[in-house]
Amino acid sequence: MNQLLKEIRHNPLLWLLAFVPVVLAAAKLKPEAHTLLFISSILAIVPLAALLSHATESVAAKTGDAVGGLLNATLGNLTELIIALAALQAGQYILVKASVAGAIVTNSLFMLGASFFLGGLKQHVQEYNSVSARLQAGLLFLATIALLIPSSIAKADPAAGAVITRKLSVGLALLLIVAYGLGMLYSLKTHRELFGSADHGEAGEAPWPMSLALATLAGVTILVALVSEVFVESVQKAAETFGMTPAFVGFIVVALVGGAAEMASAFSAARKNRLDLSVGIALGSATQIALFVAPVLVLLSYVIGPTPMDLQFWPGAVVMIFIATMTAVLVTNSGRSTWFVGVLVMMVYLIFAMTLYVLPPRAQ
Amino acid sequence: MNQLLKEIRHNPLLWLLAFVPVVLAAAKLKPEAHTLLFISSILAIVPLAALLSHATESVAAKTGDAVGGLLNATLGNLTELIIALAALQAGQYILVKASVAGAIVTNSLFMLGASFFLGGLKQHVQEYNSVSARLQAGLLFLATIALLIPSSIAKADPAAGAVITRKLSVGLALLLIVAYGLGMLYSLKTHRELFGSADHGEAGEAPWPMSLALATLAGVTILVALVSEVFVESVQKAAETFGMTPAFVGFIVVALVGGAAEMASAFSAARKNRLDLSVGIALGSATQIALFVAPVLVLLSYVIGPTPMDLQFWPGAVVMIFIATMTAVLVTNSGRSTWFVGVLVMMVYLIFAMTLYVLPPRAQ
Amino acid sequence: MNQLLKEIRHNPLLWLLAFVPVVLAAAKLKPEAHTLLFISSILAIVPLAALLSHATESVAAKTGDAVGGLLNATLGNLTELIIALAALQAGQYILVKASVAGAIVTNSLFMLGASFFLGGLKQHVQEYNSVSARLQAGLLFLATIALLIPSSIAKADPAAGAVITRKLSVGLALLLIVAYGLGMLYSLKTHRELFGSADHGEAGEAPWPMSLALATLAGVTILVALVSEVFVESVQKAAETFGMTPAFVGFIVVALVGGAAEMASAFSAARKNRLDLSVGIALGSATQIALFVAPVLVLLSYVIGPTPMDLQFWPGAVVMIFIATMTAVLVTNSGRSTWFVGVLVMMVYLIFAMTLYVLPPRAQ
């Protein structure tokens, strides 16, 4: 507990924790103050995400690579998962899908591109293990196809009703989860020697003792759940106030908020010339969302959602995920990066953000 | 003849030849027993395909690489060609196109992926000549564009009538055949030294004497033609009985049946760590179908079909061929493979198969 | 001046300058002789483009790499820019966009492919600096996305009116110009050592003295502008006479005419085994048009056009640019080329040309 307080004192990002009680109080007292709730819930989620990420890594550091990898997969994107679950329960499937697609695109373009850029400002040319990057890119490619094929084939026959789409979505969800599991088996067990340079330690922070990590995990998860509920309820109305389209909010704002903590780790690693770690966080996170979080949400929608959710995204989202994957595939091919590679990748993201920003409100 | 009988005794796959007379008799006696005819014609085609493939290789082994390559091109996919011709003559253009597209997709995904997977179970990492794989992938890419451009440009103007599409299809068919011919000139003549490790011999089977090979070729071709006719006539009705969509039958069932023999060779070579041969069979076969069989079918439709056939595929098929080609391009880039690469490639195929399986009957 | 006359005497291409007065006279005397004006204006533009290109290089050779690069960017595609400006002022936005898209496709496929082919006829295997080719391909990829995303997202919501499309187009135009500028900063300043082998000198022609170069630049620019006006006015009517579709004229004829001079340089360099120069001209020119000429035309349309022009191309053009970019990306990956690589790339171009040629007149 002392260690936790000491960490909070030394990490200014964690001072934002003060917003957690503010949000929860405001949600009770002023439920109609959407803009206030929106902004303060964003400010509260960021430090909670940082704590969650640190606690997860501390548990993973203790349990060894194999179990740790699984834990990381299950818990690494916990913020995104909880936000999505809150939206899922509210039946806001458009927001769920936008935040899933946005997280994939934001992680594989913005987080990757900014890591390359920030690393490239310090180092002339940076090298990283392209085998690992290619595995992640390959998994992303598979997930993209799982999103692309149903919607492009369904287009040929719009009569292919919702029942079929749902049946197919469940099958694809299971396939993606299996692929994700086999990918871990491959990189952590059968061919782990190819995935070297994984000089763990995650940005140099010392791991917490197990008891503190588990307690933090439990406590923070509950807080994130509570704050996320406020965020999801306020986001659409607040966005209108700011003149943002719902697509922009779901894709860009939610994804940047949900990924704040991972981005901090990825950027710091890039500046320390540990680009393997940055690429691992950025692409690993995108892969987790595409092959684990999204499929799990589809399956969970049968249990907790008002109606089953399918894997069919609106065509624009599929195109963006496809482009993001192609960019990641092409860029990670060489295993070398410079500042300009980072600029190119971020500009692809900027094109998406600009397009979503000017899109009229109904366009989802 | 003795040698043929000896081979039949030693190769259990060839015992299925017993189904050849069964099919032909049943087709005469019980023409309405679609399910029976469907199953027994599949069981009869598999051993015939194996014999055909062996006879072709024996002829090729005698005539040397240059002529042998041409023969292989002309005869290698003879089963697929005969099945397609039977469907062409019956005016079943949807089945023709589905089986062409299915053969391309099945060879470049399932056959390639399963070869990587089976080889990877025995060998930790396998290397193969990526120059050869890249040539095949490049040719496939060209064929994909030839299918993609007309249909995507025609979409912009549906008024572009059938006449124009047909004129264009003939031009594209000729272009693809020329590209295929130049590709053979390149790999067999001008730059053959780049395509090394072609330690021919095809899975270790001893070649037959010329007379036996030619006699088998003639006899089996006639049998395949007769059985294929039964197969094409029964497939649609039988598929309904099994609850399979026509798209699934054309893409998956026909392609797996038609490629059975080549798959046996490719998988056996992969397990013997002769991955160059596996990749050559898988991608070479896909290339042959895309750049030789399909164009020849278009041209032949002017002679033997009830109306001319064009090269325009339904959008879902074009997307699948495009994805299959992209997968082959990305996967063969490095010239190395492991079991997990095989899993990824097969999963792309599984996504296609699942989607086609749940598609409603009308969706072609 | 003497030097200019000497050059004209020695370069048979420049004898075509005799057509310049012919065109200008004919345009006054016989404004309705569209076919005559069309052919003679093409014949007049080719030598003017050659002079312009030589003058630009002479200026660039004097000012050093950094300024020279900027000059090359601004002036290298001057012919295309002037033709496009003439069409822009006439409000012929379809022709403007077709010529922009056509120039990108023609440079990155025909000019690149023919360079590979011609070089490959002399040399068995040619190597070139793939870092430079990959930078150009990366920039092209970015530009393709800037064209692709708006039109694919707009399709999801056709109500997204012209106002939004225009707002987005201005933003994307600025983004592309910035990306182009940063790309020059990267290749000419911060990482110039990666872009070696740039043994400038452009096909061995001696640079002109500064005064002659600047005078030629000014004089020829005016002549090109005058002749281009005639060309733009006559092209559509003349095309009908020849039975060519407007799409074919805009994509193929205008692009080949506009790029004639650069092609001469690129092909001659390829035959001299200076493939770095050929690839640089072909892809550099495509990149300039996509990231500099096209965005500048969008911005200029607010000043000189009858109405603002957007960046939205017809779907067929976007698909062609996308395919051309993918081809360039895949082909330049290895940094090696042979004659067959050139054939493959040219055949992709031929597929485009054939499709556009048979397209009915209305299909834009």
Side-chain angles (χ1 to χ4, degrees), chain B residues 13-360:
Chain B
L13 187 71
L14 296 181
W15 299 352
L16 291 172
L17 285 171
F19 278 96
V20 176
V22 172
V23 174
L24 299 179
K28 283 275 171 276
L29 301 173
K30 292 203 156 208
E32 74 295 343
H34 295 297
T35 311
L36 174 74
L37 289 173
F38 172 69
I39 294 176
S40 54
S41 61
I42 288 181
L43 292 173
I45 285 176
V46 170
L48 289 172
L51 279 183
L52 212 51
S53 155
H54 195 164
T56 311
E57 283 153 21
S58 300
V59 175
K62 289 276 150 48
T63 53
D65 264 9
V67 183
L70 190 62
L71 259 176
N72 234 319
T74 324
L75 305 177
N77 282 302
L78 211 48
T79 326
E80 282 92 343
L81 187 61
I82 295 176
I83 294 181
L85 281 178
L88 193 69
Q89 217 162 3
Q92 291 210 32
Y93 291 168
I94 288 177
L95 183 62
V96 175
K97 289 181 180 180
S99 76
V100 162
I104 298 173
V105 167
T106 299
N107 292 348
S108 59
L109 291 179
F110 179 73
M111 209 192 291
L112 187 71
S115 295
F116 284 162
F117 178 70
L118 292 170
L121 290 184
K122 288 230 169 178
Q123 313 285 333
H124 195 63
V125 176
Q126 288 184 299
E127 312 255 340
Y128 55 93
N129 182 348
S130 70
V131 172
S132 170
R134 260 182 350 221
L135 168 69
Q136 306 287 3
L139 285 171
L140 262 187
F141 185 70
L142 183 71
T144 307
I145 294 169
L147 301 181
L148 185 68
I149 286 297
S151 64
S152 75
I153 286 182
K155 217 166 45 179
D157 182 34
V163 179
I164 283 170
T165 309
R166 274 177 208 157
K167 209 161 73 179
L168 187 56
S169 296
V170 171
L172 291 173
L174 293 172
L175 181 141
L176 290 178
I177 292 174
V178 169
Y180 189 64
L182 289 174
M184 283 201 292
L185 179 68
Y186 175 66
S187 58
L188 298 174
K189 269 261 177 261
T190 72
H191 287 65
R192 65 194 305 175
E193 83 285 355
L194 296 177
F195 298 84
S197 123
D199 42 3
H200 265 240
E202 190 91 329
E205 293 173 65
W208 291 338
M210 197 58 158
S211 56
L212 175 63
L214 288 178
T216 308
L217 216 51
V220 172
T221 301
I222 294 170
L223 289 177
V224 171
L226 292 172
V227 176
S228 294
E229 216 177 349
V230 178
F231 176 72
V232 167
E233 270 163 19
S234 66
V235 66
Q236 297 292 11
K237 287 260 169 68
E240 283 172 30
T241 318
F242 288 109
M244 290 187 240
T245 61
F248 183 80
V249 171
F251 253 75
I252 308 296
V253 178
V254 173
L256 288 175
V257 170
E262 286 143 298
M263 280 178 209
S265 310
F267 299 163
S268 135
R271 294 177 65 83
K272 288 173 189 154
N273 203 15
R274 298 174 69 193
L275 209 54
D276 272 306
L277 192 54
S278 306
V279 174
I281 296 174
L283 291 187
S285 189
T287 313
Q288 276 168 25
I289 299 215
L291 286 97
F292 188 78
V293 173
V296 163
L297 287 174
V298 168
L299 299 180
L300 277 181
S301 74
Y302 284 82
V303 184
I304 66 167
T307 58
M309 189 177 81
D310 58 43
L311 254 186
Q312 209 163 5
F313 286 69
W314 61 288
V318 174
V319 172
M320 281 194 258
I321 296 176
F322 180 72
I323 297 280
T325 303
M326 290 306 300
T327 307
V329 166
L330 294 175
V331 146
T332 56
N333 203 23
S334 68
R336 298 170 73 191
S337 95
T338 58
W339 68 268
F340 188 67
V341 176
V343 167
L344 273 185
V345 174
M346 283 195 291
M347 279 198 165
V348 175
Y349 187 67
L350 197 53
I351 291 176
F352 293 176
M354 281 168 58
T355 306
L356 292 168
Y357 191 78
V358 301
L359 220 60

Side-chain angles (χ1 to χ4, degrees), chain A residues 4-359:
Chain A
L4 182 58
L5 288 174
K6 204 177 111 196
E7 171 125 10
I8 292 175
R9 244 199 326 275
H10 282 87
N11 187 344
L13 186 71
L14 296 182
W15 299 352
L16 291 172
L17 285 172
F19 277 96
V20 175
V22 171
V23 173
L24 299 180
K28 282 275 173 274
L29 302 173
K30 292 203 154 206
E32 75 295 341
H34 295 298
T35 312
L36 174 73
L37 290 173
F38 172 69
I39 294 177
S40 53
S41 60
I42 288 182
L43 292 173
I45 284 176
V46 170
L48 289 173
L51 279 182
L52 213 51
S53 153
H54 196 165
T56 311
E57 283 153 22
S58 299
V59 175
K62 288 278 151 49
T63 53
D65 264 9
V67 183
L70 190 62
L71 260 174
N72 234 320
T74 325
L75 305 177
N77 283 303
L78 212 47
T79 325
E80 281 93 342
L81 188 61
I82 295 176
I83 294 181
L85 281 178
L88 192 69
Q89 218 163 2
Q92 291 209 31
Y93 291 167
I94 288 177
L95 184 61
V96 174
K97 289 180 180 179
S99 76
V100 162
I104 297 173
V105 168
T106 299
N107 292 348
S108 60
L109 291 179
F110 179 73
M111 209 190 291
L112 188 70
S115 296
F116 284 162
F117 179 70
L118 292 171
L121 290 184
K122 287 231 168 177
Q123 312 286 332
H124 194 63
V125 176
Q126 288 185 299
E127 311 255 340
Y128 56 93
N129 183 347
S130 69
V131 172
S132 170
R134 249 158 25 198
L135 169 67
Q136 306 288 3
L139 286 171
L140 262 187
F141 186 69
L142 184 70
T144 307
I145 294 169
L147 300 180
L148 185 68
I149 286 297
S151 64
S152 76
I153 285 182
K155 217 167 42 180
D157 182 34
V163 178
I164 283 170
T165 309
R166 275 177 207 156
K167 210 162 72 178
L168 186 57
S169 296
V170 171
L172 292 173
L174 293 172
L175 181 142
L176 289 179
I177 292 174
V178 169
Y180 190 63
L182 290 174
M184 283 200 292
L185 178 68
Y186 176 65
S187 58
L188 298 175
K189 269 261 177 262
T190 73
H191 286 66
R192 65 193 306 176
E193 84 285 356
L194 296 178
F195 298 84
S197 125
D199 44 3
H200 265 239
E202 188 91 332
E205 293 173 64
W208 291 338
M210 198 58 157
S211 57
L212 174 61
L214 288 178
T216 307
L217 217 51
V220 171
T221 301
I222 295 170
L223 289 177
V224 171
L226 292 172
V227 175
S228 295
E229 217 177 348
V230 178
F231 176 72
V232 167
E233 270 163 18
S234 65
V235 66
Q236 297 291 12
K237 289 257 170 69
E240 283 172 30
T241 318
F242 287 109
M244 291 186 239
T245 61
F248 182 80
V249 170
F251 253 76
I252 309 295
V253 178
V254 174
L256 289 175
V257 171
E262 285 143 300
M263 281 178 208
S265 309
F267 298 163
S268 135
R271 294 177 66 84
K272 289 173 189 153
N273 202 14
R274 297 174 67 194
L275 208 56
D276 272 307
L277 193 53
S278 307
V279 174
I281 296 174
L283 291 187
S285 188
T287 312
Q288 276 167 27
I289 297 205
L291 285 98
F292 188 79
V293 173
V296 163
L297 287 173
V298 167
L299 299 181
L300 277 181
S301 74
Y302 283 82
V303 185
I304 65 167
T307 57
M309 188 177 81
D310 58 42
L311 255 186
Q312 208 162 6
F313 287 70
W314 61 289
V318 174
V319 172
M320 281 194 258
I321 295 177
F322 180 72
I323 297 279
T325 302
M326 290 306 299
T327 307
V329 166
L330 294 175
V331 146
T332 56
N333 204 22
S334 68
R336 299 171 72 191
S337 94
T338 58
W339 68 267
F340 188 68
V341 176
V343 166
L344 272 185
V345 175
M346 283 195 291
M347 278 198 165
V348 175
Y349 186 68
L350 196 54
I351 291 175
F352 293 176
M354 281 168 58
T355 306
L356 292 168
Y357 191 78
V358 302
L359 221 60

Side-chain angles (χ1 to χ4, degrees), chain C residues 9 69 79 92 101 163 165 183 186 224 244 340:
Chain C
R9 245 197 325 275
T79 326
Q92 290 210 33
V163 178
T165 309
Y186 175 66
V224 172
M244 290 187 240
F340 188 66

Side-chain angles (χ1 to χ4, degrees), chain C residues 264-309:
Chain C
S265 310
F267 298 163
S268 135
R271 294 177 66 84
K272 289 174 191 154
N273 203 13
R274 297 174 67 194
L275 208 56
D276 272 306
L277 192 54
S278 306
V279 174
I281 296 174
L283 291 187
S285 188
T287 312
Q288 277 167 25
I289 298 209
L291 286 98
F292 188 78
V293 172
V296 163
L297 287 173
V298 167
L299 299 180
L300 277 181
S301 74
Y302 284 82
V303 185
I304 65 167
T307 58
M309 189 177 80

Side-chain angles (χ1 to χ4, degrees), chain C residues 41 83-84 86-87 90 92 95 227-236:
Chain C
S41 61
I83 294 181
Q92 290 210 33
L95 183 62
V227 175
S228 294
E229 217 178 347
V230 178
F231 176 71
V232 167
E233 270 163 18
S234 65
V235 66
Q236 296 293 10

